[in-house]
Amino acid sequence: RLQESRERLSVCSKLCYAVGGAPYQITGCALGFFLQIYLLDVAQLDPFYASIILFVGRAWDAITDPMVGFFISKTSWTRFGRLMPWIIFSTPFAVISYFLIWFVPDISSGQVMWYLVFYCIFQTLVTCFHVPYSALTMFISREQSERDSATAYRMTVEVLGTVLGTAIQGQIVGKVVTPCIESPLFIGKTNSSVAMEELNMTRDTGSLTDTRNAYMIAAGVIGGLYILCAIILSVGVREKRESSELQSDEPVSFFRGLKLVMNHGAYIKLIAGFLFTSLAFMLLEGNFALFCTYTLGFRNEFQNILLAIMLSATLTIPFWQWFLTRFGKKTAVYVGISSAIPFLIVVVVLDSNLIVTYIVAVAAGISVAAAFLLPWSMLPDVIDDFKLQQPDSHGHEAIFFSFYVFFTKFTSGVSLGISTLSLDFAGYQTRGCSQPSEVNFTLKMLVSAVPVGLILLGLLLFKLYPIDEEKRRKNKKALQDLR
């Protein structure tokens, strides 16, 4: 009892730890929902080049995760810990590069390289924040119940971070009407149409400048929140070296540790299941703004629809934490993630209706909450299982977290690049007030049919995951005895 009381975390410590998860989600949500439409309609890049930026940026982001995990494993302990210095020193440079992503440079050529370079730099720096922060879960307490509780706090704040990212970006940008150009099918029917188009373009210049300024203001606000959260985390959380170590621990090299981690069956099965379900939600996230704008016709409402999804997700995180405690984590996966399927189908089958769209958004947010909470709640169980099977190995927590994120990000980069290319092949009109029917059909596939298929495949693979509630309790008892 005395040992357990020492390992208990105060509510203040859990909150300070949880706040550290907000920067990654705020920036990630703003980029995920708005970067594609920003590159196409504000920076006015060709869809082909936009797809290259999105793919290379996400792929590079994926590659940096195991790289950072490797360097963290080689980092010596300091008086601030082994993970915290990475978080502190990466923050100011990450904020600068994030702001420059949302800046339109006054250069006729080289815009593609501008966005590609600063997107990759930001992804590298935010990885230097998020990978050590994710691994910090294992260094705040040895008690599994305390780690699960801290994870629930973290997930609540992270989903709240997605609300903030959606609200700040959406509401600031939504105050300005982004100018659009009528379809060429409706232009040129009269002799004065060319002059009228030139007049419209002249009028649009001011509005486009206002839109670009709005994106930069939003980036400045989000950058300030990033710095504030990093300060709260570094001041309010103490990294405990002994929390992750067993009595028989001996150092093992990174590459041997990597081989051990990738040969751990429970980890591979967990990755396989969540890889496809996470990919489904990322694909939905990347294309939902375009879907609301053009397919549903809610050009001035899409940011509020996104906000409804994120608010619903935030409010239902405590429910899913109770559910997984009461019925088990595997059951929560099946119930929580599969509940999105009927709503993804309804949103494309029914005719465009704003009220129905809001109802679907709120219902879909419930499933988004489960998809946020469960992977991070289950990874510590896999690490505990690994420690029982490999009691002479330690220091591999960053590898577990970084490679999970690696596979998810890399596949999301591929899918987002392909989806943007698909829009290009379908005939996407940059800054168009409307899109061809082929583009609308493609968007329906990208936010409904494809995500539903990925969710079903992920749930089928997840049946192979071996750690149920009985196995988890046995592991906890065995770890206590080993310590």
Side-chain angles (χ1 to χ4, degrees), residues 248-269:
S248 56
D249 281 343
E250 294 178 3
V252 177
S253 70
F254 174 82
F255 290 105
R256 186 188 167 197
L258 176 60
K259 183 179 178 180
L260 291 172
V261 167
M262 299 311 294
N263 285 333
H264 189 60
Y267 181 60
I268 297 302
K269 291 165 185 174

Side-chain angles (χ1 to χ4, degrees), residues 334-384:
Y334 295 128
V335 175
I337 295 179
S338 63
S339 64
I341 294 176
F343 302 109
L344 293 178
I345 295 173
V346 165
V347 78
V348 298
V349 171
L350 296 182
D351 293 333
S352 178
N353 183 292
L354 187 58
I355 296 176
V356 171
T357 303
Y358 272 109
I359 294 172
V360 169
V362 171
I366 298 173
S367 186
V368 170
F372 263 85
L373 174 65
L374 290 165
W376 301 111
S377 179
M378 297 171 79
L379 269 174
D381 298 339
V382 173
I383 296 174
D384 286 342

Side-chain angles (χ1 to χ4, degrees), residues 189-214:
K189 293 186 178 180
T190 64
N191 293 332
S192 61
S193 61
V194 175
M196 182 62 70
E197 182 182 359
E198 291 177 354
L199 178 61
N200 288 339
M201 290 293 290
T202 304
R203 287 179 181 174
D204 287 347
T205 303
S207 297
L208 188 58
T209 301
D210 293 340
T211 302
R212 291 173 176 176
N213 290 337

Side-chain angles (χ1 to χ4, degrees), residues 375-410:
W376 301 111
S377 179
M378 297 171 79
L379 269 174
D381 298 339
V382 173
I383 296 174
D384 286 342
D385 188 65
F386 174 82
K387 286 178 178 178
L388 286 174
Q389 296 185 26
Q390 303 291 339
D392 295 328
S393 298
H394 72 93
H396 306 312
E397 293 82 6
I399 300 176
F400 277 98
F401 285 95
S402 63
F403 269 89
Y404 168 74
V405 178
F406 165 78
F407 288 116
T408 305
K409 287 180 178 177
F410 186 81

Side-chain angles (χ1 to χ4, degrees), residues 135-325:
L136 191 62
T137 307
M138 303 302 296
F139 291 89
I140 56 177
S141 176
R142 278 192 297 196
E143 281 298 310
Q144 188 182 73
S145 60
E146 290 300 296
R147 294 202 305 258
D148 285 346
S149 177
T151 299
Y153 276 80
R154 170 190 166 189
M155 290 302 109
T156 303
V157 173
E158 286 197 1
V159 178
L160 182 60
T162 65
V163 174
L164 284 174
T166 306
I168 293 169
Q169 190 85 5
Q171 299 304 313
I172 293 176
V173 172
K175 297 294 183 183
V176 181
V177 179
T178 303
C180 63
I181 303 171
E182 287 293 343
S183 170
L185 294 175
F186 302 103
I187 296 177
K189 293 186 178 180
T190 64
N191 293 332
S192 61
S193 61
V194 175
M196 182 62 70
E197 182 182 359
E198 291 177 354
L199 178 61
N200 288 339
M201 290 293 290
T202 304
R203 287 179 181 174
D204 287 347
T205 303
S207 297
L208 188 58
T209 301
D210 293 340
T211 302
R212 291 173 176 176
N213 290 337
Y215 273 99
M216 285 191 289
I217 291 170
V221 175
I222 289 175
L225 286 175
Y226 192 118
I227 293 173
L228 178 63
C229 292
I231 292 173
I232 293 173
L233 173 66
S234 59
V235 171
V237 176
R238 186 171 71 88
E239 189 177 342
K240 301 175 183 178
R241 183 174 186 173
E242 69 278 3
S243 292
S244 168
E245 297 181 353
L246 302 179
Q247 294 174 357
S248 56
D249 281 343
E250 294 178 3
V252 177
S253 70
F254 174 82
F255 290 105
R256 186 188 167 197
L258 176 60
K259 183 179 178 180
L260 291 172
V261 167
M262 299 311 294
N263 285 333
H264 189 60
Y267 181 60
I268 297 302
K269 291 165 185 174
L270 183 72
I271 285 180
F274 277 121
L275 179 64
F276 291 99
T277 55
S278 300
L279 184 56
F281 287 102
M282 288 184 179
L283 197 61
L284 178 65
E285 175 189 68
N287 294 279
F288 198 72
L290 291 173
F291 175 73
C292 289
T293 300
Y294 294 112
T295 304
L296 298 182
F298 302 138
R299 175 177 290 272
N300 298 322
E301 285 288 333
F302 78 88
Q303 68 272 12
N304 297 323
I305 297 170
L306 297 177
L307 187 58
I309 294 174
M310 294 299 108
L311 279 173
S312 173
T314 303
L315 295 174
T316 50
I317 280 281
F319 166 76
W320 287 118
Q321 177 63 22
W322 168 83
F323 190 95
L324 66 87
T325 304

